[in-house]
Amino acid sequence: MQSVEYREQIYDILSDPTKSIATRIDDALDVGVDYLDVSIGFFTRIEDDVQKIVQSTGNHTLIQPGETCPLDDAYCRRTIEIESPLAIQDADASSAVADSAVETFGLGAYIGARILVKNEVYGTICFADTESRETDFTAAESYFVELAARLVAQALEQQSYERELAERETEINTKEEVSRALIDASFDLVFQIGSEGQFTYVSPAVEDLLGYSADDYLGQPFTSMLPDQSTIAVAEEIYESVMAGETVVREYFPLEHRTKEQVLVDIRVTPLYSGEVSPEDRTPADIVGVQGMARDASGRHHRYRLIRVLNRVLRHNLRNDTNVISGYAEMLRDRLEDEDAAYARKIIETTERLITLSETAQKLESNLEAPPEIEIVDIVPLVVQTVNQIDEQYPGASISVHTPDVAMAKSAPRLEAAVWELLDNAANHAGAAPSITVTVRIADEQAVIQIKDDGPGIPADEKAVLLSGQETPLEHGSGLGLLLVHWIVESLGGELTVRDSEAGACVEIALGRTGEPSSE
């Protein structure tokens, strides 16, 4: 079985909502042990500098469920401190593992990744063997472990969310007003719909979620919150089911913001019974309306989409390019003559493409997971610094920069990655000696970064990736760097524009601003 098939298998296992998390993790550990050709797999919980084995596979006496040890004596001590997986070919020769850990556990080879739940270290998922490896763990193997860690984290977050929902539903059965206050403080939207299909209550938090006040919805049909006819049809089916006595849960249900954009939420809608009927005597005839609770799921939906994009791109490109490498390697083996040098160059070129694709995918994922950190800052130093870095990397390019002394804008450190990708794209694709102009200007209430080159321009499919973040054009990975730009600018609340140009490409990033720098 190839590495991509193992990744698909681990994704299917850990994303299966029909199985318990414990069962999913057990199955994932078995797949990992098989794929990595090791004898031990384990899932840990780390609290108060203590490592506890929660689940495991293998016969190691100290790596069994319930076993604990000080974190300083564990192989996972270094794992939780770094973002990428920790891969160790020979523990005896590695400085990343404490001597006490090697003496205690006697593991020769180890690879593990940290699990973050709500941006906090929860534990690790690891694979190991008592014998050291003859070769390093590959990039594909490291990505497999990292993917497993992220999927376990998502499953744990979903479990926590479902537990919170269950707890809130229990509270609702006490006092209506107390319950309503608790829910309003815990959810992005709470609403009640009467038997005539009109809103009888909408929590004040709706203004933050959808841009309208609660009073705007009161007395209106529940369809007024929905974006289109297909969504209305689904909502009407949900309403009928709840009025018949069912509780309905939906993920990524679309609502309409005041700006006409869609907001995806997770909703839970339950029957609202007459208070005159005791719980044990309730029937659908006693239902007087429905009560719903919703949480903004847009961020999580973006992360899920990104994982799917990364999986598809890596699955397609790594498979195809690896086949190219294998093909040329076989030709080199069979034809050790003058043509060998040309084949070797082909191998190097293909490998470089794989490395570039992998690095860009990693940057895309890390930037998506980065906290907002949006501040009003001067973006001129960031732009100038990025231009200088590109100038050093591409000495054949001619880059001119035009900026005001100060340009305050809503920004974050990840803006540098977006500017870098656009400049790198221009330097790579605008010819042997490209001419690039970078301009920063103040326009109305925005600070605009314009990057213009004299190359052939941006192809239509890649332009779609840049402007809308569409996934389809990434089938062959051509626009992954541009997708990174789209995600970053969107996360900063900015706007991307591709301007018409007589020759080459002209891309603008527009960011909101608030005027002059503070005196601090």
Side-chain angles (χ1 to χ4, degrees):
M1 189 183 296
Q2 296 181 346
S3 59
V4 65
E5 295 174 300
Y6 280 104
R7 286 198 302 273
E8 291 174 346
Q9 190 174 0
I10 201 77
Y11 187 88
D12 291 341
I13 288 172
L14 291 173
S15 302
D16 185 355
T18 65
K19 295 182 179 179
S20 69
I21 292 180
T23 299
R24 284 182 260 172
I25 292 175
D26 276 338
D27 292 344
L29 292 175
D30 289 338
V31 170
V33 165
D34 182 37
Y35 169 54
L36 299 168
D37 194 23
V38 295
S39 58
I40 301 165
F42 54 102
F43 163 58
T44 75
R45 180 76 168 103
I46 294 176
E47 292 182 292
D48 300 326
D49 292 327
V50 174
Q51 171 188 282
K52 179 180 180 180
I53 306 297
V54 180
Q55 293 172 242
S56 68
T57 183
N59 297 321
H60 196 292
T61 56
L62 298 181
I63 306 179
Q64 297 296 326
E67 292 290 335
T68 62
C69 75
L71 184 57
D72 285 340
D73 294 336
Y75 281 60
C76 294
R77 177 186 60 82
R78 177 61 178 156
T79 304
I80 65 172
E81 298 174 349
I82 59 178
E83 295 182 358
S84 57
L86 176 64
I88 299 172
Q89 173 188 354
D90 185 352
D92 289 329
S94 174
S95 61
V97 180
D99 292 339
S100 58
V102 177
E103 293 173 2
T104 300
F105 291 92
L107 301 177
Y110 166 92
I111 183 169
R114 66 181 183 178
I115 296 171
L116 296 180
V117 175
K118 296 182 179 179
N119 294 321
E120 297 291 337
V121 173
Y122 181 93
T124 61
I125 186 167
C126 312
F127 301 91
D129 203 280
T130 54
E131 302 294 330
S132 61
R133 288 169 61 105
E134 296 181 0
T135 59
D136 289 335
F137 286 97
T138 66
E141 290 171 331
S142 291
Y143 178 72
F144 171 90
V145 176
E146 184 175 8
L147 178 62
R150 289 186 179 277
L151 292 172
V152 168
Q154 289 175 6
L156 292 171
E157 286 188 347
Q158 182 65 22
Q159 181 186 58
S160 175
Y161 172 58
E162 292 172 352
R163 186 182 297 117
E164 290 176 12
L165 280 178
E167 293 171 354
R168 295 295 182 257
E169 188 173 1
T170 300
E171 292 171 0
I172 290 172
N173 292 327
T174 57
K175 279 189 175 182
E176 180 179 350
E177 292 303 321
V178 173
S179 299
R180 180 179 296 175
L182 288 171
I183 297 170
D184 285 355
S186 304
F187 292 86
D188 295 310
L189 172 63
V190 180
F191 58 89
Q192 290 181 354
I193 303 171
S195 58
E196 299 298 322
Q198 297 175 331
F199 285 114
T200 58
Y201 172 78
V202 178
S203 63
V206 70
E207 187 164 0
D208 291 334
L209 183 67
L210 300 180
Y212 291 98
S213 70
D215 290 339
D216 291 332
Y217 288 109
L218 289 179
Q220 297 297 316
F222 66 81
T223 56
S224 62
M225 196 177 281
L226 306 176
D228 51 49
Q229 287 300 318
S230 62
T231 306
I232 290 174
V234 173
E236 289 175 341
E237 292 179 3
I238 292 174
Y239 179 78
E240 292 175 1
S241 296
V242 178
M243 290 296 291
E246 297 180 24
T247 292
V248 178
V249 177
R250 288 286 189 276
E251 289 187 338
Y252 308 135
F253 190 83
L255 303 179
E256 186 175 75
H257 193 273
R258 189 167 195 154
T259 61
K260 303 304 179 183
E261 295 180 348
Q262 289 192 8
V263 177
L264 300 179
V265 296
D266 294 337
I267 61 169
R268 182 182 182 89
V269 190
T270 60
L272 193 60
Y273 291 89
S274 170
E276 299 177 358
V277 181
S278 61
E280 58 270 19
D281 296 328
R282 288 172 178 170
T283 69
D286 302 312
I287 297 174
V288 296
V290 305
Q291 178 161 287
M293 298 163 285
R295 277 189 174 175
D296 189 347
S298 300
R300 193 176 83 252
H301 183 253
H302 281 188
R303 289 194 293 272
Y304 286 164
R305 284 178 55 206
L306 181 57
I307 287 178
R308 292 197 300 269
V309 173
L310 291 174
N311 262 338
R312 189 173 69 250
V313 171
L314 292 174
R315 184 166 62 245
H316 182 89
N317 289 276
L318 289 179
R319 181 177 66 249
N320 287 357
D321 284 351
T322 301
N323 288 339
V324 172
I325 293 173
S326 298
Y328 282 116
E330 290 176 2
M331 294 174 71
L332 285 172
R333 181 192 63 195
D334 298 336
R335 301 176 60 183
L336 294 175
E337 298 177 0
D338 295 340
E339 297 174 353
D340 292 352
Y343 298 147
R345 283 194 297 273
K346 289 290 186 180
I347 292 175
I348 293 172
E349 291 170 1
T350 303
T351 304
E352 288 176 346
R353 286 201 304 273
L354 282 170
I355 293 173
T356 300
L357 178 62
S358 176
E359 290 175 346
T360 306
Q362 179 64 38
K363 285 195 293 182
L364 176 56
E365 186 172 9
S366 62
N367 275 280
L368 182 64
E369 295 290 339
E373 301 176 354
I374 299 177
E375 298 178 327
I376 305 299
V377 298
D378 180 11
I379 63 173
V380 170
L382 180 148
V383 172
V384 172
Q385 175 182 321
T386 308
V387 169
N388 291 337
Q389 293 171 346
I390 289 289
D391 195 39
E392 291 179 3
Q393 182 162 328
Y394 298 96
S398 174
I399 307 178
S400 59
V401 185
H402 308 280
T403 71
D405 292 336
V406 175
M408 305 299 292
K410 296 179 181 178
S411 181
R414 58 183 176 274
L415 175 64
E416 180 179 355
V419 176
W420 170 277
E421 287 295 335
L422 290 176
L423 287 171
D424 184 67
N425 191 64
N428 261 315
H429 302 295
S435 177
I436 305 171
T437 302
V438 181
T439 304
V440 178
R441 69 177 189 275
I442 304 302
D444 298 326
E445 295 302 315
Q446 294 179 318
V448 180
I449 305 169
Q450 182 188 84
I451 298 172
K452 186 175 181 180
D453 64 58
D454 60 351
I458 301 176
D461 57 345
E462 294 187 13
K463 187 184 297 185
V465 175
L466 181 64
L467 295 180
S468 64
Q470 294 177 9
E471 300 174 10
T472 302
L474 294 181
E475 182 175 349
H476 299 290
S478 59
L480 195 56
L482 299 179
L483 179 60
L484 171 59
V485 176
H486 173 85
W487 279 103
I488 291 175
V489 175
E490 182 182 69
S491 73
L492 298 176
E495 299 176 3
L496 268 171
T497 305
V498 178
R499 299 289 183 191
D500 292 332
S501 178
E502 296 180 0
C506 180
V507 181
E508 292 184 353
I509 299 174
L511 302 170
R513 58 185 299 272
T514 58
E516 299 302 320
S518 66
S519 58
E520 297 181 353

